Amino acid sequence: MPATPSHPNGAPTARQLAESLLAFWADGGVDAMLLDEAVDRIEAGKAPPPVRPSPAVAAKAPPRAIDGLPDVSAAVSQAQQLAAAAHDLPALVAAIAAFEGCPLRYEGAASQAVVYRGDPAAPLMVIGEGPGADEDAQGQPFVGRAGKLLDKMLGAAGLEGRVLITNTVFWRPPGNRTPTLAEQAICAPFLERIIALVQPRMLLLVGGASAKSLLRREEGILSLRGRWLEWRSADGSQDLPALPTLHPAFLLRQPGAKKSAWSDLLTLTERLDRPDRPL
Ligand code: URA
């Protein structure tokens, strides 16, 4: 950046002060400016770019009514069509990467869609909230500090190599805010397709944003965690036992809560190795 002229009396100019403050924040890792409330750009009509489902899809798939959400039916219909046409995980990853219907793609993601990592035939699917900065940069979910803790806990519970890890949304929400229900609804057909292709025996729902969206529940994660609940796909054709647990990012801030998360993992491994135990 070219040097900015100083104030004639030698005091820093307003611009120099602003630049110095921005540099201070950037050094501290602040990479986004957020308002207190997320701006609903779908509602505001600013993003995403218009999604035009093919006439065949518009005729076949009735728009999914989602109470209280802005009208995301065109984006959801297009996601349903693309997801249904993907017959394996590589095709699904390519379809998600090309999908322009989720506003997060334009708002938060600096580089790429982040879909999954792990074993495509895993008996357990771990579903987090959404990618952060490290995931956005590397193209894989849970590869930052929280991901390292997650891997350590899964490893200690004997689950290493037995999981596929993904998220409720596939692009980083700006400033790591919680994804909105509308963003989760747009990504849901892809997430359901991942579940259909992998056919895990059970789901581990990591954090409140994941548990509430997949289980369509209002309660917070502290009341949902550790309880076996049923996940059901939007069309009712798939269902699986699902166990909500605490998010590793929360555990990094509240190490005292690790005990509860560990107890959830033990509950899960016991059931995974004894699959016919009823809910
Ligand atoms: N937190 C999540 O919920 N998912 C990630 O992929 C990374 C951090």
Side-chain angles (χ1 to χ4, degrees):
M1 193 183 297
T4 321
S6 303
H7 194 277
N9 68 9
T13 62
R15 176 174 172 162
Q16 285 173 322
L17 287 171
E19 283 172 358
S20 150
L21 183 59
L22 286 172
F24 172 75
W25 280 339
D27 282 349
V30 177
D31 63 357
M33 296 289 201
L34 296 184
L35 301 173
D36 287 341
E37 297 289 327
V39 176
D40 191 338
R41 296 191 194 281
I42 304 173
E43 184 84 313
K46 292 181 191 149
V51 175
R52 289 178 211 86
S54 74
V57 170
K60 265 194 220 149
R64 206 167 70 153
I66 305 162
D67 290 345
L69 293 190
D71 184 7
V72 292
S73 53
V76 171
S77 293
Q78 196 193 29
Q80 283 170 336
Q81 180 197 29
L82 292 169
H87 294 298
D88 54 29
L89 280 179
L92 187 60
V93 170
I96 295 171
F99 180 61
E100 297 183 338
C102 181
L104 290 176
R105 178 183 175 135
Y106 304 97
E107 290 181 10
S111 35
Q112 58 199 311
V114 176
V115 183
Y116 81 91
R117 70 176 166 96
D119 178 6
L124 172 67
M125 217 166 114
V126 176
I127 305 177
E129 177 177 316
D134 293 317
E135 290 74 23
D136 181 55
Q138 296 181 43
Q140 296 208 319
F142 280 106
V143 290
R145 274 184 76 219
K148 301 229 170 353
L149 176 57
L150 177 67
D151 283 349
K152 216 162 131 185
M153 293 180 72
L154 292 172
L159 292 166
E160 193 183 333
R162 302 173 75 193
V163 296
L164 179 139
I165 302 177
T166 186
N167 280 305
T168 63
V169 295
F170 304 108
W171 293 267
R172 180 191 180 196
N176 297 342
R177 67 159 167 76
T178 304
T180 65
L181 288 177
E183 291 154 355
Q184 290 176 318
I186 292 170
C187 292
F190 294 121
L191 181 57
E192 288 197 358
R193 190 72 184 139
I194 298 178
I195 298 174
L197 291 169
V198 174
Q199 299 212 322
R201 293 216 310 272
M202 54 195 71
L203 306 177
L204 181 65
L205 307 179
V206 167
S210 165
K212 290 203 253 184
S213 136
L214 277 127
L215 300 170
R216 303 175 190 94
R217 307 274 293 224
E218 301 277 317
E219 303 101 300
I221 189 64
L222 293 178
S223 110
L224 291 173
R225 64 145 283 273
R227 292 159 57 190
W228 282 112
L229 296 162
E230 187 187 63
W231 167 80
R232 194 171 278 275
S233 61
D235 66 1
S237 64
Q238 307 180 74
D239 59 81
L240 283 174
L243 188 72
T245 192
L246 303 172
H247 196 288
F250 174 77
L251 301 179
L252 288 170
R253 293 192 303 271
Q254 304 276 339
K258 283 184 186 168
K259 207 162 62 167
S260 305
W262 180 243
S263 136
D264 298 344
L265 278 186
L266 294 184
T267 303
L268 183 119
T269 46
E270 194 221 11
R271 176 141 187 192
L272 197 61
D273 296 328
R274 271 204 301 129
D276 40 4
R277 193 174 145 237
L279 266 180

Short mmCIF file of all heavy atoms in Angstrom, two decimals, residues 54-100:
data_model
loop_
_atom_site.label_atom_id
_atom_site.label_comp_id
_atom_site.label_asym_id
_atom_site.label_seq_id
_atom_site.Cartn_x
_atom_site.Cartn_y
_atom_site.Cartn_z
N SER A 54 -35.39 -26.25 -14.42
CA SER A 54 -35.88 -26.59 -15.74
C SER A 54 -37.40 -26.74 -15.68
O SER A 54 -37.95 -27.06 -14.63
CB SER A 54 -35.25 -27.91 -16.18
OG SER A 54 -35.86 -28.93 -15.46
N PRO A 55 -38.10 -26.50 -16.80
CA PRO A 55 -39.55 -26.63 -16.78
C PRO A 55 -39.98 -28.00 -16.29
O PRO A 55 -40.95 -28.13 -15.55
CB PRO A 55 -39.94 -26.43 -18.25
CG PRO A 55 -38.78 -25.70 -18.86
CD PRO A 55 -37.56 -26.08 -18.08
N ALA A 56 -39.20 -29.04 -16.62
CA ALA A 56 -39.59 -30.39 -16.19
C ALA A 56 -39.61 -30.48 -14.67
O ALA A 56 -40.52 -31.02 -14.06
CB ALA A 56 -38.61 -31.42 -16.74
N VAL A 57 -38.56 -29.88 -14.02
CA VAL A 57 -38.49 -29.94 -12.56
C VAL A 57 -39.59 -29.10 -11.95
O VAL A 57 -40.26 -29.50 -11.01
CB VAL A 57 -37.13 -29.42 -12.07
CG1 VAL A 57 -37.14 -29.24 -10.58
CG2 VAL A 57 -36.07 -30.38 -12.48
N ALA A 58 -39.79 -27.90 -12.53
CA ALA A 58 -40.83 -27.04 -11.97
C ALA A 58 -42.18 -27.74 -12.00
O ALA A 58 -42.98 -27.62 -11.10
CB ALA A 58 -40.88 -25.74 -12.76
N ALA A 59 -42.40 -28.54 -13.06
CA ALA A 59 -43.68 -29.24 -13.18
C ALA A 59 -43.76 -30.40 -12.19
O ALA A 59 -44.78 -30.63 -11.57
CB ALA A 59 -43.86 -29.75 -14.60
N LYS A 60 -42.62 -31.14 -12.02
CA LYS A 60 -42.66 -32.38 -11.23
C LYS A 60 -42.56 -32.13 -9.72
O LYS A 60 -43.28 -32.70 -8.94
CB LYS A 60 -41.47 -33.27 -11.63
CG LYS A 60 -41.84 -34.28 -12.67
CD LYS A 60 -40.74 -35.31 -12.77
CE LYS A 60 -40.50 -35.69 -14.21
NZ LYS A 60 -39.13 -36.06 -14.48
N ALA A 61 -41.58 -31.28 -9.32
CA ALA A 61 -41.32 -31.15 -7.89
C ALA A 61 -42.06 -29.94 -7.34
O ALA A 61 -41.69 -28.82 -7.62
CB ALA A 61 -39.81 -30.97 -7.67
N PRO A 62 -43.13 -30.17 -6.56
CA PRO A 62 -43.84 -29.02 -6.00
C PRO A 62 -42.90 -28.29 -5.05
O PRO A 62 -42.15 -28.94 -4.34
CB PRO A 62 -45.02 -29.65 -5.26
CG PRO A 62 -44.64 -31.07 -5.06
CD PRO A 62 -43.62 -31.44 -6.09
N PRO A 63 -42.92 -26.94 -5.04
CA PRO A 63 -42.02 -26.23 -4.13
C PRO A 63 -42.24 -26.70 -2.71
O PRO A 63 -43.37 -26.90 -2.29
CB PRO A 63 -42.45 -24.76 -4.28
CG PRO A 63 -43.30 -24.71 -5.50
CD PRO A 63 -43.80 -26.10 -5.77
N ARG A 64 -41.12 -26.92 -1.98
CA ARG A 64 -41.22 -27.41 -0.62
C ARG A 64 -41.59 -26.24 0.28
O ARG A 64 -40.87 -25.24 0.31
CB ARG A 64 -39.86 -27.97 -0.21
CG ARG A 64 -39.96 -29.02 0.83
CD ARG A 64 -38.66 -29.73 0.97
NE ARG A 64 -37.63 -28.90 1.55
CZ ARG A 64 -36.61 -29.39 2.23
NH1 ARG A 64 -36.48 -30.68 2.37
NH2 ARG A 64 -35.70 -28.60 2.72
N ALA A 65 -42.71 -26.32 0.96
CA ALA A 65 -43.10 -25.22 1.83
C ALA A 65 -42.27 -25.27 3.09
O ALA A 65 -42.22 -26.30 3.76
CB ALA A 65 -44.57 -25.34 2.17
N ILE A 66 -41.57 -24.22 3.41
CA ILE A 66 -40.77 -24.20 4.64
C ILE A 66 -41.29 -23.03 5.46
O ILE A 66 -41.10 -21.87 5.11
CB ILE A 66 -39.28 -24.01 4.31
CG1 ILE A 66 -38.83 -25.10 3.33
CG2 ILE A 66 -38.45 -24.06 5.58
CD1 ILE A 66 -37.56 -24.77 2.62
N ASP A 67 -42.00 -23.36 6.54
CA ASP A 67 -42.68 -22.32 7.33
C ASP A 67 -41.71 -21.25 7.79
O ASP A 67 -40.66 -21.55 8.31
CB ASP A 67 -43.34 -22.95 8.57
CG ASP A 67 -44.52 -23.79 8.16
OD1 ASP A 67 -44.95 -23.64 7.00
OD2 ASP A 67 -45.00 -24.58 8.99
N GLY A 68 -42.11 -20.01 7.60
CA GLY A 68 -41.36 -18.90 8.16
C GLY A 68 -40.06 -18.57 7.44
O GLY A 68 -39.31 -17.73 7.89
N LEU A 69 -39.76 -19.25 6.34
CA LEU A 69 -38.52 -18.97 5.65
C LEU A 69 -38.80 -18.14 4.40
O LEU A 69 -39.89 -18.22 3.84
CB LEU A 69 -37.84 -20.26 5.19
CG LEU A 69 -37.31 -21.18 6.26
CD1 LEU A 69 -36.47 -22.26 5.64
CD2 LEU A 69 -36.45 -20.41 7.25
N PRO A 70 -37.81 -17.36 3.96
CA PRO A 70 -37.99 -16.70 2.69
C PRO A 70 -38.18 -17.74 1.60
O PRO A 70 -37.85 -18.92 1.80
CB PRO A 70 -36.68 -15.94 2.50
CG PRO A 70 -35.72 -16.51 3.48
CD PRO A 70 -36.53 -17.10 4.59
N ASP A 71 -38.70 -17.34 0.46
CA ASP A 71 -39.01 -18.31 -0.57
C ASP A 71 -37.73 -18.82 -1.24
O ASP A 71 -37.13 -18.14 -2.06
CB ASP A 71 -39.92 -17.68 -1.61
CG ASP A 71 -40.35 -18.71 -2.65
OD1 ASP A 71 -40.02 -19.90 -2.46
OD2 ASP A 71 -40.98 -18.32 -3.62
N VAL A 72 -37.34 -20.01 -0.82
CA VAL A 72 -36.13 -20.60 -1.39
C VAL A 72 -36.51 -21.79 -2.27
O VAL A 72 -35.67 -22.60 -2.60
CB VAL A 72 -35.14 -21.05 -0.28
CG1 VAL A 72 -34.58 -19.86 0.44
CG2 VAL A 72 -35.80 -22.00 0.70
N SER A 73 -37.79 -21.86 -2.66
CA SER A 73 -38.25 -23.09 -3.32
C SER A 73 -37.55 -23.33 -4.65
O SER A 73 -37.30 -24.49 -5.01
CB SER A 73 -39.77 -23.07 -3.49
OG SER A 73 -40.17 -21.90 -4.13
N ALA A 74 -37.22 -22.26 -5.40
CA ALA A 74 -36.56 -22.49 -6.68
C ALA A 74 -35.17 -23.09 -6.46
O ALA A 74 -34.78 -24.04 -7.15
CB ALA A 74 -36.45 -21.18 -7.45
N ALA A 75 -34.44 -22.54 -5.48
CA ALA A 75 -33.10 -23.08 -5.20
C ALA A 75 -33.19 -24.50 -4.67
O ALA A 75 -32.40 -25.37 -5.04
CB ALA A 75 -32.38 -22.18 -4.20
N VAL A 76 -34.20 -24.77 -3.81
CA VAL A 76 -34.36 -26.12 -3.25
C VAL A 76 -34.71 -27.10 -4.38
O VAL A 76 -34.14 -28.19 -4.47
CB VAL A 76 -35.44 -26.14 -2.15
CG1 VAL A 76 -35.78 -27.57 -1.73
CG2 VAL A 76 -34.99 -25.35 -0.94
N SER A 77 -35.60 -26.68 -5.28
CA SER A 77 -35.99 -27.57 -6.40
C SER A 77 -34.78 -27.89 -7.27
O SER A 77 -34.60 -29.03 -7.70
CB SER A 77 -37.04 -26.91 -7.29
OG SER A 77 -38.23 -26.78 -6.59
N GLN A 78 -33.97 -26.87 -7.52
CA GLN A 78 -32.80 -27.12 -8.37
C GLN A 78 -31.82 -28.05 -7.66
O GLN A 78 -31.26 -28.96 -8.28
CB GLN A 78 -32.12 -25.81 -8.74
CG GLN A 78 -31.17 -26.02 -9.92
CD GLN A 78 -30.23 -24.86 -10.14
OE1 GLN A 78 -29.86 -24.14 -9.19
NE2 GLN A 78 -29.83 -24.68 -11.37
N ALA A 79 -31.64 -27.83 -6.34
CA ALA A 79 -30.75 -28.72 -5.57
C ALA A 79 -31.29 -30.15 -5.59
O ALA A 79 -30.53 -31.11 -5.74
CB ALA A 79 -30.60 -28.21 -4.14
N GLN A 80 -32.62 -30.29 -5.46
CA GLN A 80 -33.21 -31.65 -5.48
C GLN A 80 -32.92 -32.34 -6.82
O GLN A 80 -32.56 -33.51 -6.88
CB GLN A 80 -34.74 -31.56 -5.32
CG GLN A 80 -35.19 -31.30 -3.90
CD GLN A 80 -36.67 -30.97 -3.80
OE1 GLN A 80 -37.27 -30.50 -4.77
NE2 GLN A 80 -37.26 -31.18 -2.65
N GLN A 81 -33.08 -31.58 -7.90
CA GLN A 81 -32.88 -32.15 -9.23
C GLN A 81 -31.41 -32.58 -9.42
O GLN A 81 -31.12 -33.69 -9.87
CB GLN A 81 -33.25 -31.11 -10.30
CG GLN A 81 -33.07 -31.64 -11.71
CD GLN A 81 -33.04 -30.51 -12.74
OE1 GLN A 81 -32.62 -29.38 -12.45
NE2 GLN A 81 -33.46 -30.81 -13.94
N LEU A 82 -30.50 -31.68 -9.02
CA LEU A 82 -29.08 -32.00 -9.20
C LEU A 82 -28.67 -33.17 -8.31
O LEU A 82 -27.91 -34.05 -8.73
CB LEU A 82 -28.22 -30.77 -8.85
CG LEU A 82 -28.37 -29.59 -9.82
CD1 LEU A 82 -27.70 -28.34 -9.25
CD2 LEU A 82 -27.75 -29.95 -11.17
N ALA A 83 -29.19 -33.18 -7.08
CA ALA A 83 -28.84 -34.25 -6.14
C ALA A 83 -29.33 -35.60 -6.67
O ALA A 83 -28.60 -36.59 -6.67
CB ALA A 83 -29.42 -33.95 -4.76
N ALA A 84 -30.58 -35.61 -7.17
CA ALA A 84 -31.15 -36.89 -7.64
C ALA A 84 -30.39 -37.43 -8.84
O ALA A 84 -30.30 -38.63 -9.05
CB ALA A 84 -32.62 -36.69 -7.99
N ALA A 85 -29.83 -36.52 -9.63
CA ALA A 85 -29.13 -36.95 -10.85
C ALA A 85 -27.72 -37.47 -10.56
O ALA A 85 -27.07 -38.04 -11.42
CB ALA A 85 -29.06 -35.79 -11.84
N ALA A 86 -27.22 -37.24 -9.33
CA ALA A 86 -25.86 -37.67 -8.99
C ALA A 86 -25.90 -39.11 -8.48
O ALA A 86 -26.48 -39.39 -7.43
CB ALA A 86 -25.28 -36.75 -7.93
N HIS A 87 -25.28 -40.02 -9.23
CA HIS A 87 -25.38 -41.44 -8.88
C HIS A 87 -24.22 -41.95 -8.03
O HIS A 87 -24.21 -43.10 -7.63
CB HIS A 87 -25.56 -42.28 -10.14
CG HIS A 87 -26.89 -41.96 -10.78
ND1 HIS A 87 -28.09 -42.18 -10.14
CD2 HIS A 87 -27.20 -41.37 -11.95
CE1 HIS A 87 -29.09 -41.78 -10.89
NE2 HIS A 87 -28.57 -41.26 -12.01
N ASP A 88 -23.23 -41.09 -7.79
CA ASP A 88 -22.18 -41.48 -6.85
C ASP A 88 -21.62 -40.21 -6.21
O ASP A 88 -21.96 -39.09 -6.62
CB ASP A 88 -21.08 -42.32 -7.52
CG ASP A 88 -20.50 -41.62 -8.74
OD1 ASP A 88 -20.50 -40.38 -8.77
OD2 ASP A 88 -20.04 -42.32 -9.65
N LEU A 89 -20.76 -40.38 -5.22
CA LEU A 89 -20.27 -39.21 -4.47
C LEU A 89 -19.45 -38.26 -5.35
O LEU A 89 -19.64 -37.04 -5.25
CB LEU A 89 -19.45 -39.66 -3.25
CG LEU A 89 -20.28 -40.08 -2.03
CD1 LEU A 89 -19.36 -40.52 -0.89
CD2 LEU A 89 -21.17 -38.94 -1.54
N PRO A 90 -18.56 -38.76 -6.23
CA PRO A 90 -17.83 -37.78 -7.05
C PRO A 90 -18.78 -36.93 -7.91
O PRO A 90 -18.58 -35.72 -8.04
CB PRO A 90 -16.92 -38.67 -7.93
CG PRO A 90 -16.76 -39.93 -7.13
CD PRO A 90 -18.03 -40.13 -6.37
N ALA A 91 -19.83 -37.54 -8.45
CA ALA A 91 -20.79 -36.77 -9.26
C ALA A 91 -21.51 -35.75 -8.37
O ALA A 91 -21.78 -34.61 -8.79
CB ALA A 91 -21.79 -37.70 -9.93
N LEU A 92 -21.82 -36.16 -7.14
CA LEU A 92 -22.52 -35.24 -6.23
C LEU A 92 -21.61 -34.07 -5.84
O LEU A 92 -22.04 -32.91 -5.81
CB LEU A 92 -22.98 -36.00 -4.98
CG LEU A 92 -23.87 -35.20 -4.02
CD1 LEU A 92 -25.14 -34.75 -4.71
CD2 LEU A 92 -24.22 -36.02 -2.80
N VAL A 93 -20.35 -34.37 -5.56
CA VAL A 93 -19.40 -33.29 -5.23
C VAL A 93 -19.31 -32.30 -6.38
O VAL A 93 -19.34 -31.08 -6.19
CB VAL A 93 -18.00 -33.89 -4.89
CG1 VAL A 93 -16.96 -32.79 -4.78
CG2 VAL A 93 -18.07 -34.68 -3.59
N ALA A 94 -19.25 -32.83 -7.61
CA ALA A 94 -19.16 -31.94 -8.79
C ALA A 94 -20.43 -31.11 -8.92
O ALA A 94 -20.38 -29.91 -9.24
CB ALA A 94 -18.91 -32.77 -10.04
N ALA A 95 -21.60 -31.72 -8.65
CA ALA A 95 -22.87 -31.00 -8.76
C ALA A 95 -22.93 -29.87 -7.72
O ALA A 95 -23.37 -28.75 -8.02
CB ALA A 95 -24.04 -31.95 -8.57
N ILE A 96 -22.48 -30.17 -6.50
CA ILE A 96 -22.49 -29.13 -5.45
C ILE A 96 -21.54 -27.99 -5.83
O ILE A 96 -21.89 -26.81 -5.73
CB ILE A 96 -22.10 -29.72 -4.08
CG1 ILE A 96 -23.17 -30.74 -3.61
CG2 ILE A 96 -21.92 -28.63 -3.03
CD1 ILE A 96 -22.80 -31.55 -2.38
N ALA A 97 -20.37 -28.36 -6.32
CA ALA A 97 -19.38 -27.33 -6.68
C ALA A 97 -19.91 -26.41 -7.77
O ALA A 97 -19.57 -25.22 -7.82
CB ALA A 97 -18.08 -28.00 -7.11
N ALA A 98 -20.77 -26.94 -8.65
CA ALA A 98 -21.28 -26.13 -9.76
C ALA A 98 -22.57 -25.39 -9.39
O ALA A 98 -23.04 -24.54 -10.15
CB ALA A 98 -21.54 -27.04 -10.97
N PHE A 99 -23.15 -25.70 -8.24
CA PHE A 99 -24.46 -25.16 -7.86
C PHE A 99 -24.34 -23.68 -7.47
O PHE A 99 -23.48 -23.31 -6.66
CB PHE A 99 -24.98 -25.97 -6.66
CG PHE A 99 -26.32 -25.56 -6.13
CD1 PHE A 99 -27.45 -25.62 -6.93
CD2 PHE A 99 -26.46 -25.12 -4.82
CE1 PHE A 99 -28.70 -25.26 -6.42
CE2 PHE A 99 -27.69 -24.77 -4.31
CZ PHE A 99 -28.81 -24.83 -5.11
N GLU A 100 -25.19 -22.86 -8.05
CA GLU A 100 -25.09 -21.41 -7.79
C GLU A 100 -26.24 -20.91 -6.92
O GLU A 100 -26.40 -19.71 -6.73
CB GLU A 100 -25.08 -20.67 -9.13
CG GLU A 100 -23.86 -21.02 -9.96
CD GLU A 100 -23.78 -20.23 -11.25
OE1 GLU A 100 -24.83 -19.73 -11.71
OE2 GLU A 100 -22.67 -20.13 -11.78
#
